[in-house]
Structure formats: C-alpha cells, structure tokens
Amino acid sequence: MSAGLTARGLVRRFGGIAAVDGVDLAVPPGRITALVGPNGAGKSTLFDCLSGAARPDTGRVLLAGRDVTRLPDHARAGLGLTRTFQQIAVFPGLTVGQNVRIGADPGRRGTVRGLLGLPAPGRAASRAAADRALRLFGLEAVRDWPADRLPTGALRMLELARALAAAPRVLLLDEPAAGLDLAQTERLAAVLRALAADGMALLLVEHDVQLVGALADAVYVMADGRILARGPTAAVLADRRVRAAWGGS
Ligand SMILES: Nc1ncnc2c1ncn2[C@@H]1O[C@H](COP(=O)(O)OP(=O)(O)OP(=O)(O)O)[C@@H](O)[C@H]1O
C-alpha cells in the first residue's frame, strides 16, 4: 500500500477537449512535489480530480492506498486531504481567527471519520491546530480583524493557515505564492519545508520557477492535459524543452 496520494490514468473531458488526458502522478509523504505547465495545461482540472471537486471520466485516485475516486471532496477532506484554491475565498463576516478555526472544525471533518469508526478530533485539539496555523503564518496579530479587511498577501496566508488547521496528511496548494511579497514567500517556503519534514505529502501548482527550484523535491510538467516530463527538480528544470513548454516566469 502506497502512502500519500496517487493518480492512475486520470482522464477528464469537457466536450471534445481532454483537459486531463491519462495522467499518472504520485505525491509521496515527506516530499514537496510541484506541478507546472502553461495556462490551460489542465493543472486546475487535475487538482479538481485529485481533491474530489470533479470526477474523472476514467482513472483512479488513491489516498494512502485507498480508492477514493468516487468520494466527494468533503469525504476526502475527512480522510486527510485538503486543498487551497487559486481564487481566495474567505468568510467575509468572520474574523481571521474564526476563518482559520473553520478549517479545524471537527464538525466539518468528522463525517467520514465517524463512518469509519475513527474518533473525531476534540475541540481542544482543533483550537490548538488553529492556533498553531495562525502562528506559523504570522497571523496572530490580526486574528481579531475582519477577514475581508486583509490585504491580498495576508489573505493568501489566511487561506493557507485554514488549510493547515485541518491537519491534513496530503495538502494540495494551487498557486500558494500568488500575491505574496518576498518575506511572505520565504515564510511560506519555510512552513512548507517544515510540513514535509514532518511527513506531510505536498503538491503545489506554481508558476514561479525560482520557488519551484528552491522548494520542490520532484516536478511534473503538464501540457495539453498530459505529463510531458517528471523527475527530480534539478533534472527537470535543466531540460530546455521543459522550460520552453512551461513558459514559467
Ligand atoms: N468547466 C470547464 N468547461 C469547459 N472547459 C474547461 C472547463 N474547465 C477547464 N476547461 C478547459 O480545460 C483546459 C484545462 O484548463 P485548466 O484550467 O485545468 O488549466 P490550468 O493548467 O489550470 O490553467 P491555468 O494555469 O490558466 O489555471 C482548458 O482548455 C480549459 O479551457
């Protein structure tokens, strides 16, 4: 049984277009894996298939060796899979702290655990997870602010903190550095490295080639729905063909 997240032969079509066209991918624990490629390559659609927001037409998604292909996103979340989105969405009437607590809320995560007979994490554990996430992303000073008053970079940090508060085993990050300044990007990189060192499986879609080079252990390059290249980061990024297809900044 393989830990982390695995995709086998995923296909997702929109009309005549195969946005994801036979993708095999492994997101192992303790590693940072990057998914790169030009606009329209199919990265977000692949993320949707992995997270459960979309069903693949064919292929399978395995979470810690278990077939979750037919489980919806909230059920996969209950099994330890969390994702963030390119478009940041916060609950506007709530504070920063309340938004992060929602990520840690056992009520939102308990359903599948309950079905499987696993104990739901207690409120105290959830609060501790939320506090830790706020601290990691430097949001303690603004925890009582209305979330919708945060500037873009801090909003992105909030979304990451909320994802982390769910204590996922697998974390999918869709352009996590978009809108971050240099200091925030460095903070993000340090947190992601620490999470991987702690055993989490991380997959990120990222356009910033320098960040991918500094952060990722392995890279998948996607174009026209297919995986064009894969392998250790240095080898993949050194491939001129890859850089040309990627168009990364
Ligand atoms: N809901 C949809 N209906 C029809 N076509 C779609 C839909 N979602 C995506 N597509 C098409 O699928 C292809 C892949 O899109 P996708 O958004 O997954 O790419 P991407 O690599 O994430 O791009 P970007 O980097 O711009 O976010 C594109 O041709 C897109 O137009």
Side-chain angles (χ1 to χ4, degrees):
M1 185 178 90
S2 58
L5 186 71
T6 310
R8 291 197 191 137
L10 287 185
V11 176
R12 168 76 173 168
R13 291 191 189 84
F14 296 108
I17 297 174
V20 173
D21 193 6
V23 167
D24 294 319
L25 174 118
V27 186
R31 316 268 290 171
I32 299 176
T33 306
L35 176 64
V36 305
N39 291 339
K43 306 179 297 293
S44 293
T45 306
L46 175 58
F47 253 46
D48 286 346
C49 292
L50 296 175
S51 70
R55 274 288 163 78
D57 296 303
T58 54
R60 298 203 301 154
V61 179
L62 306 173
L63 180 57
R66 177 197 166 112
D67 192 330
V68 297
T69 316
R70 305 191 72 78
L71 291 183
D73 47 4
H74 63 270
R76 294 185 204 190
L79 291 171
L81 175 67
T82 297
R83 98 175 263 186
T84 66
F85 291 86
Q86 257 177 59
Q87 305 295 331
I88 309 169
V90 295
F91 296 94
L94 302 183
T95 66
V96 170
Q98 287 167 332
N99 265 276
V100 173
R101 284 290 297 280
I102 283 174
D105 184 355
R108 279 169 52 89
R109 294 187 294 135
T111 323
V112 172
R113 298 184 73 87
L115 283 173
L116 295 173
L118 299 170
R123 294 246 164 230
S126 297
R127 178 175 262 290
D131 286 349
R132 178 169 171 262
L134 281 166
R135 203 167 49 245
L136 275 173
F137 287 101
L139 293 168
E140 286 161 306
V142 296
R143 73 184 300 154
D144 295 324
W145 282 31
D148 47 4
R149 278 189 35 208
L150 291 182
T152 308
L155 268 181
R156 180 70 67 191
M157 296 306 238
L158 165 55
E159 209 208 4
L160 294 165
R162 188 172 52 196
L164 202 58
R169 287 186 290 177
V170 179
L171 183 56
L172 309 180
L173 302 161
D174 201 344
E175 298 196 32
L180 298 189
D181 64 25
L182 197 59
Q184 288 168 327
T185 304
E186 281 171 5
R187 180 165 213 141
L188 169 74
V191 171
L192 298 187
R193 277 193 205 102
L195 294 173
D198 224 28
M200 194 181 285
L202 294 119
L203 176 67
L204 62 141
V205 167
E206 186 50 63
H207 282 288
D208 180 342
V209 65
Q210 291 206 346
L211 184 61
V212 169
L215 202 54
D217 299 296
V219 178
Y220 286 77
V221 184
M222 196 169 183
D224 295 327
R226 294 172 171 271
I227 301 299
L228 190 79
R230 74 187 73 199
T233 303
V236 173
L237 295 189
D239 186 335
R240 239 188 259 164
R241 215 171 36 100
V242 162
R243 292 287 284 274
W246 174 7
S249 53

